[in-house]
Amino acid sequence: MDELKALIMEDDDADADRLASCLRRYATENGTPLDVRRVASAFDFEPERHPADLIFMDIEMPGVDGLSAARHLRELDQQTTLVFVTSLARHAAHGYEVNATDFIVKPIDYETLSIRMPRILREVESRRAKTVTIGTRERTWTLDANDIVCVETIRHDLYYRLAPSASAGEEDPRVRGTIAEAEARLTKVGAYFRTSPACLVNLDHVAAIRENAVRMDDGRTLPLSRSRRPALLNALAARMGAGA
């Protein structure tokens, strides 16, 4: 397993130290590489500056509480695994609003954490397996691979075209790179196919095949090289036959 980044959001020093100690003990005893860091306030939490695979959020903090911070995170990132930490179990119900994986009631003890961690880590690995991180000058995008409809090369830039539900009205991510680099990266996490020298499509978003074009389910029409058309049809047939 690659090293996981765990972030603790907790205003109480003693509670934060206790959780960090339990996490580091679990990492040592189970051979799980874990980098544990902390922010003491939701005011200090900026998802773009604090990338993490796993976040432990105290729900009850002064000022901006953990739930508000979680909602902000989910506006930018649907994939990072969240675990709520709370003094009152009834507050854990709010986790459903932000797709939290679990909750732990204070005071935290090692035995309870060690029982919960295998399930939490399975969720982390499941999400990481299909997650793509795209860093632009403006922000860092953490996306489900299936939220990428296609990738286009314009001059020397890659444009990651996102499904409307993932873009939330923002401009599509643009980074420097080549379509070959995008293909090598995305085919590891999803079903992607190069339809032309400058275009890579997500097979799960293909709506129709024309003679020399592919229509995507967002209405976008992309070029299709004649030499690649038979292979694309075979790839789509295999995808449907596999029950994708």
Side-chain angles (χ1 to χ4, degrees):
M1 176 185 292
D2 295 334
E3 183 180 68
L4 303 179
K5 297 183 184 299
L7 181 69
I8 298 171
M9 184 185 297
E10 171 62 72
D11 65 302
D12 185 280
D13 292 342
D15 285 341
D17 290 345
R18 185 180 297 110
L19 176 54
S21 177
C22 288
L23 287 170
R24 292 188 177 110
R25 177 181 170 186
Y26 182 89
T28 299
E29 293 184 359
N30 293 273
T32 304
L34 199 61
D35 176 25
V36 182
R37 303 189 182 188
R38 176 206 177 191
V39 292
S41 166
F43 288 112
D44 301 325
F45 176 60
E46 298 178 27
E48 303 92 335
R49 291 181 53 240
H50 300 101
D53 301 297
L54 172 59
I55 299 178
F56 291 87
M57 279 191 173
D58 180 11
I59 297 179
E60 307 134 280
M61 289 188 290
V64 180
D65 59 37
L67 182 59
S68 298
R71 288 177 179 139
H72 175 53
L73 172 69
R74 286 300 185 230
E75 290 175 358
L76 304 174
D77 169 10
Q78 294 292 320
Q79 298 305 313
T80 298
T81 300
L82 289 177
V83 176
F84 277 156
V85 181
T86 177
S87 298
L88 300 172
R90 60 182 173 82
H91 287 166
H94 293 298
Y96 292 107
E97 300 177 29
V98 289
N99 193 23
T101 294
D102 205 346
F103 72 94
I104 300 176
V105 177
K106 298 180 184 180
I108 294 172
D109 63 84
Y110 180 72
E111 288 68 25
T112 298
L113 182 74
S114 64
I115 291 172
R116 300 291 185 91
M117 282 298 288
R119 175 178 176 274
I120 292 170
L121 292 177
R122 284 195 299 271
E123 180 70 13
V124 171
E125 285 301 304
S126 175
R127 291 178 181 237
R128 277 177 42 147
K130 59 179 182 178
T131 295
V132 177
T133 301
I134 303 170
T136 68
R137 291 180 180 178
E138 293 76 24
R139 58 171 281 193
T140 297
W141 299 72
T142 302
L143 301 164
D144 186 310
N146 202 46
D147 286 334
I148 301 170
V149 175
C150 63
V151 184
E152 294 181 274
T153 300
I154 300 178
R155 296 185 177 88
H156 299 290
D157 290 335
L158 294 173
Y159 287 78
Y160 286 78
R161 308 302 189 185
L162 306 183
S165 59
S167 65
E170 296 188 58
E171 291 187 6
D172 292 328
R174 181 185 71 176
V175 299
R176 207 74 166 171
T178 67
I179 202 71
E181 292 169 344
E183 182 179 28
R185 183 182 187 192
L186 293 179
T187 51
K188 294 178 181 178
V189 295
Y192 291 85
F193 186 92
R194 181 105 70 97
T195 61
S196 73
C199 190
L200 183 71
V201 304
N202 185 336
L203 295 178
D204 292 335
H205 285 280
V206 172
I209 305 295
R210 307 302 185 200
E211 185 64 30
N212 58 359
V214 179
R215 183 167 61 82
M216 309 304 289
D217 58 10
D218 65 350
R220 193 183 309 272
T221 299
L222 303 168
L224 172 60
S225 300
R226 180 176 299 180
S227 62
R228 298 174 189 265
R229 191 172 188 274
L232 173 60
L233 292 172
N234 288 337
L236 287 168
R239 187 77 175 153
M240 290 186 288

